[in-house]
Amino acid sequence: MRDRSGGTDRAVSVTVGYVMTLAVSTLLLSGLFVAGGSFVDTQRERAAQGELTVVGERIAADIGTVDRLVATAESRDNLTVHRPLTLPDRVSGTGYRIRIEANGTQGTIALESEQTDATVEVPFRTSEIVAVENATVDGGDLRIRWDPDGGADGDGAVVVSEP
């Protein structure tokens, strides 16, 4: 085809086709990266929740162990219980916080990941005669112990702390 000025426009269609192919490819790749990034974030959060659940259940089990030892002891005034607990410093590549809240014989262990939105709450129960002090600690190794002078009324309490 020739236009009135005597030139051709065939080269324009090749250039336009090339630019259109680049634009469509860029859009497709961008969509894949966005979808893939969101998928990875979701999987990371699920993995963190799974790991935090396991950590919370281990803490609850050890609080239960100390609770049973204290509840069955003849004299709690001279009782010494120290239970070291080895936990990972990180879950899914990030640090985490542990918050223990007890009210009477029931309580919860809340675990929160620092960089993901993963949060897990694990319930626990204790004997009526054993109190658990509220605490907030960083993830990692812990020590669960009996403090005969602890608690709100001074009758003793189970204490969770960093070693």
Side-chain angles (χ1 to χ4, degrees), residues 17-65:
Y18 181 71
V19 169
M20 292 297 289
T21 302
L22 281 178
V24 169
S25 298
T26 301
L27 286 174
L28 286 174
L29 285 175
S30 297
L32 287 174
F33 285 135
V34 168
S38 137
F39 176 75
V40 168
D41 288 343
T42 301
Q43 292 303 317
R44 181 178 293 140
E45 186 174 330
R46 285 185 186 169
Q49 285 178 337
E51 290 180 53
L52 290 173
T53 300
V54 170
V55 168
E57 289 173 352
R58 287 185 59 196
I59 296 169
D62 281 5
I63 288 174
T65 300

Side-chain angles (χ1 to χ4, degrees), residues 62-71 81 83 144-146 158:
D62 281 5
I63 288 174
T65 300
V66 173
D67 169 55
R68 284 188 298 280
L69 288 170
V70 171
V81 178
R83 177 123 177 114
I144 302 173
R145 64 183 173 84
W146 170 250
V158 175

Side-chain angles (χ1 to χ4, degrees), residues 1-13:
M1 259 180 122
R2 292 192 184 265
D3 63 7
R4 294 185 186 172
S5 63
T8 64
D9 59 358
R10 288 184 190 178
V12 173
S13 63

Side-chain angles (χ1 to χ4, degrees), residues 65-84:
T65 300
V66 173
D67 169 55
R68 284 188 298 280
L69 288 170
V70 171
T72 58
E74 289 181 22
S75 171
R76 299 183 334 171
D77 295 333
N78 298 325
L79 181 64
T80 302
V81 178
H82 291 275
R83 177 123 177 114

Side-chain angles (χ1 to χ4, degrees), residues 131-153:
V132 176
E133 282 190 1
N134 295 339
T136 301
V137 294
D138 289 328
D141 295 343
L142 299 177
R143 181 173 58 154
I144 302 173
R145 64 183 173 84
W146 170 250
D147 180 6
D149 299 323
D153 54 6

